[in-house]
Amino acid sequence: MSEADAGEAGAHAGAGSGGWPTVDFELTVNGAPQRVTGAWVGENLLFVLRERLGFTAVKDGCGEGECGACTVLMEGRPTTACLVPAVAATGLAIETPEVHAVPQPDPVAAALAVHAGAGCGFCLPGIGMEMRALLAHNGKPSAAAIRETLSGHRCRCLPPERFIAATRDAAKTLAHKQAQARAQADASAQDAQDAQAERELQAERELQAEPQPPHESPIYPRVPAQAGERTQPGGRARAGENDSEHEQAGARS
Amino acid sequence: MDSGTAVADRAVAFPGSVREALDAMTACPQATLVAGGTEVMTLVNSGALRPSCLVVLDRIEELRGVWFGDQEIVLGSATTCADLMQSDVRGVLPALAQAARSIASPGVRSRATLGGNLLSGKRPGGPAAAAPTRDLLTVLVALNAVAVCRSEQGWRQLPVAELYARDGGVNLRPGELLTALRVPTCGGRQGFMKVGTRAGAARSLVTFALAADLSARTVTCAIGGFSPLAVRVDHAGQWLAEHVDWENGAIPDPTTYPRFARLIAEGLVVPGSAGPAGRTTVAVPQSYREQAAEVCARRALVRALPPAGWLEQVAQYQQRAEFVRNRARVERAERGLPPEPPVPGQMPGAQPPGGGLSRGAGA
């Protein structure tokens, strides 16, 4: 262990001197490119994310893939960051818990806070990433599926039932949100359809209806004297009939 | 591949093909090969290994994936365990899919590769390494797989069991790359069982794999997990082949299961016939390990070859259940009781009716 510590210190200080060859590379973390310079080739992704790039939501537990605290998503798949050489992660999309829980917690983070808030919380970022990966392809996971998925995460504070409840809660919230979004999309689509239907109906009505005589056009202000004329039925009706015939003939031709 | 992102005194190579990988290995003979990294990085993190040069193999498309043929199935050596669990592999190599699923946790399986599982551990004359648990090896030995290696000198093909020295070290020559494994097709009658120290991700105490070939009328089985190696248990397989109803792919005598399991467990203590006297990977009493082997063998056999009449018996149970339901309906009618219960049409959240077990039994 002390040897490893010395190794990491060496990678920091000695830039490529004496058996600690260094590399420069670029990682894509949470959609943004991150430049890493002077890293030892043997550094793992966990160390680079935490110590060099400052993504401290990824936790350092055991360093041998047992505890799952360092789980991140690589290309959407849960991966223990401590077992990935950092250089091997170039060109792959990496997601850390920060992108989902900061500043607004997503349904998974909220469910974990409700159900697993009594623990120390060290394992929760990794468990959250695993739950997100599970819920992305299984909208209603069974208890057995949840247990199997979370089998690689060690939590020393709380029983697994809390995490099963949290996953179900998050699944429900996500389904509800999706349903809401779908309903909203449907509603807006319905609105658009209604508006279209309304427009068509309006056009139809305008075609069918008596065209307004020029003095009632909304564009031209109504002259009081002409408005007074409207109260006299005889002459007005005749003029309307004539106009209507003209208009409809014009529309059909 | 993306050489612009990682260049500094050639400490890392990202070959895009087997050819480029061999070139990179020639250019840097002491290079550490990394595909998933799940085995190498445990050593690096603990300080036991200090790589000076990495050759990253996970971007070589030639090494990833499974090719299904009529005579054989070819598994690329950089295929991940998560890929081996996919339904297409599960259909033809169920034992391999089960073995892949038994390894570690989803976070590790998404990176861990087939080749890494086989080649983890010590090289002859190489540095110290973690005690390997090659769970996939047990299945591949039972399936008579052939390892395909490529080096500058050309191809080398050998049975997968010959890839290892007697002490469990890997007999891969310097500059040689394991590219694929060729598995002859033998039908889907396979079983795999693993017993570890806990139900979740754990090192195995015993792994057992069994494959029955209905057309060739042979049974091959292998046991491993308690040492770095896996070995065929041919005497048990030959004994079992005489007790199988090959026409129906079933076992007529139910006592065959415990007798076969006993044969496997007894073989564990006979060095030379069914197990190398190698270092054990998990310290448990021998009696516990024997019992675990017995349970593994029995369950794997039930998975591969069910008892004769088992499916008929299930059908009989279903028929009887259907009969009881019909009789209840008739009796209610005779007594003048209302035929429908006082509930509305469907349970809340119930599946729409149709296609249940009872309907299938009546047909």
Side-chain angles (χ1 to χ4, degrees):
Chain A
M1 203 62 210
S2 62
E3 205 179 333
D5 290 344
E8 279 156 6
H12 264 311
S17 60
W20 301 101
T22 57
V23 280
D24 303 340
F25 52 94
E26 198 171 274
L27 296 177
T28 313
V29 187
N30 299 337
Q34 301 278 352
R35 190 89 198 143
V36 180
T37 52
W40 175 46
V41 286
E43 270 177 32
N44 58 43
L45 180 62
L46 170 65
F47 180 85
V48 168
L49 283 177
R50 271 186 73 84
E51 313 295 335
R52 292 187 183 273
L53 303 177
F55 292 97
T56 49
V58 193
K59 299 300 179 204
D60 187 353
C62 63
E64 48 188 30
E66 284 282 326
C67 70
C70 61
T71 301
V72 296
L73 299 187
M74 281 174 71
E75 299 287 321
R77 288 190 137 173
T79 306
T80 47
C82 66
L83 294 186
V84 181
V87 275
T90 50
L92 303 176
I94 301 165
E95 278 179 42
T96 67
E98 275 98 346
V99 73
H100 295 291
V102 177
Q104 276 300 310
D106 69 342
V108 171
L112 279 175
V114 169
H115 290 276
C120 72
F122 191 81
C123 63
L124 293 188
I127 288 182
M129 295 315 275
E130 193 85 53
M131 281 164 60
R132 284 174 194 115
L134 171 68
L135 294 176
H137 66 85
N138 186 353
K140 206 175 172 189
S142 64
I146 298 170
R147 271 177 191 273
E148 189 184 343
T149 307
L150 298 183
S151 67
H153 294 264
R154 302 279 172 97
C155 176
R156 287 295 176 241
C157 303
L158 297 172
E161 286 75 22
R162 300 286 183 92
F163 298 102
I164 293 171
T167 312
R168 291 208 160 136
D169 212 1
K172 237 178 260 173
T173 318
L174 279 173
H176 183 63
K177 277 197 167 181
Q178 278 169 2
Q180 260 185 345
R182 212 176 302 127
Q184 212 165 13
D186 283 357
S188 60
Q190 192 64 40
D191 281 351
Q193 231 172 12
D194 285 353
Q196 180 67 19
E198 188 69 22
R199 270 197 297 281
E200 280 169 8
L201 204 63
Q202 193 66 33
E204 191 86 350
R205 229 179 260 144
E206 277 168 12
L207 280 182
Q208 295 294 334
E210 281 187 5
Q212 295 176 338
H215 58 264
E216 285 201 355
S217 161
I219 300 172
Y220 302 106
R222 189 182 288 179
V223 184
Q226 288 170 335
E229 267 182 14
R230 206 183 166 190
T231 53
Q232 303 170 357
R236 156 90 183 79
R238 274 201 303 278
E241 271 173 20
N242 286 341
D243 283 351
S244 158
E245 278 168 16
H246 277 294
E247 282 285 324
Q248 281 181 0
R252 277 175 197 139
S253 67
Chain B
M1 193 174 181
D2 37 14
S3 54
T5 55
V7 273
D9 58 354
R10 301 174 64 81
V12 183
F14 287 95
S17 65
V18 173
R19 183 74 258 156
E20 289 175 32
L22 291 175
D23 289 346
M25 287 159 71
T26 318
C28 182
Q30 76 279 11
T32 305
L33 299 187
V34 176
T38 52
E39 184 75 31
V40 168
M41 288 310 283
T42 50
L43 298 172
V44 174
N45 291 347
S46 69
L49 182 71
R50 194 209 282 182
S52 57
C53 177
L54 290 184
V55 176
V56 182
L57 301 173
D58 67 348
R59 283 135 220 246
I60 305 180
E61 294 298 327
E62 298 167 59
L63 294 184
R64 292 194 68 156
V66 182
W67 289 262
F68 300 97
D70 292 334
Q71 300 294 318
E72 60 172 4
I73 299 153
V74 181
L75 310 158
S77 65
T79 312
T80 61
C81 288
D83 289 342
L84 289 179
M85 287 164 59
Q86 296 299 318
S87 57
D88 48 354
V89 180
R90 210 162 54 212
V92 290
L93 297 172
L96 192 70
Q98 285 162 16
R101 188 178 163 184
S102 76
I103 290 172
S105 59
V108 176
R109 285 200 291 263
S110 65
R111 295 278 305 171
T113 60
L114 170 64
N117 188 265
L118 296 181
L119 300 183
S120 63
K122 191 175 164 298
R123 300 276 187 283
T133 43
R134 301 173 182 137
D135 289 342
L136 298 178
L137 176 64
T138 313
V139 182
L140 292 172
V141 166
L143 293 174
N144 294 322
V146 171
V148 182
C149 305
R150 183 75 200 269
S151 66
E152 294 288 353
Q153 282 78 42
W155 298 99
R156 185 161 75 105
Q157 302 199 51
L158 70 170
V160 69
E162 291 175 19
L163 211 52
Y164 303 97
R166 280 191 72 83
D167 67 342
V170 184
N171 262 341
L172 215 57
R173 293 172 189 158
E176 209 169 31
L177 190 69
L178 177 72
T179 56
L181 286 129
R182 312 173 76 150
V183 182
T185 51
C186 70
R189 292 307 193 92
Q190 301 165 13
F192 174 83
M193 274 297 293
K194 163 177 165 174
V195 169
T197 45
R198 62 190 271 261
R203 280 186 179 273
S204 50
L205 296 172
V206 163
T207 51
F208 181 80
L210 181 142
D213 192 340
L214 293 191
S215 53
R217 306 203 162 186
T218 54
V219 178
T220 50
C221 47
I223 191 160
F226 56 92
S227 85
L229 296 178
V231 283
R232 289 270 297 270
V233 197
D234 279 337
H235 66 278
Q238 283 161 9
W239 178 85
L240 182 64
E242 295 162 7
H243 291 75
V244 177
D245 175 8
W246 289 109
E247 296 297 329
N248 302 314
I251 290 180
D253 182 10
T255 60
T256 307
Y257 294 97
R259 283 161 73 196
F260 173 73
R262 199 61 228 146
L263 213 55
I264 295 291
E266 280 166 2
L268 258 188
V269 296
V270 184
S273 77
R279 169 180 56 155
T280 57
T281 49
V282 181
V284 293
Q286 180 68 15
S287 59
Y288 181 72
R289 205 185 291 278
E290 268 178 43
Q291 198 183 354
E294 198 172 338
V295 171
C296 280
R298 200 176 63 229
R299 291 186 185 168
L301 183 55
V302 172
R303 284 184 187 182
L305 298 166
W310 194 69
L311 293 176
E312 288 80 355
Q313 201 162 16
V314 171
Q316 270 182 14
Y317 285 141
Q318 288 176 346
Q319 258 178 358
R320 181 164 170 75
E322 183 75 15
F323 172 73
V324 168
R325 272 196 293 276
N326 286 335
R327 195 179 60 185
R329 202 171 300 133
V330 170
E331 280 181 3
R332 288 190 76 83
E334 281 174 355
R335 287 193 212 157
L337 297 172
E340 297 299 328
V343 290
Q346 250 188 27
M347 249 166 82
Q351 298 293 322
L357 253 184
S358 59
R359 295 175 77 102

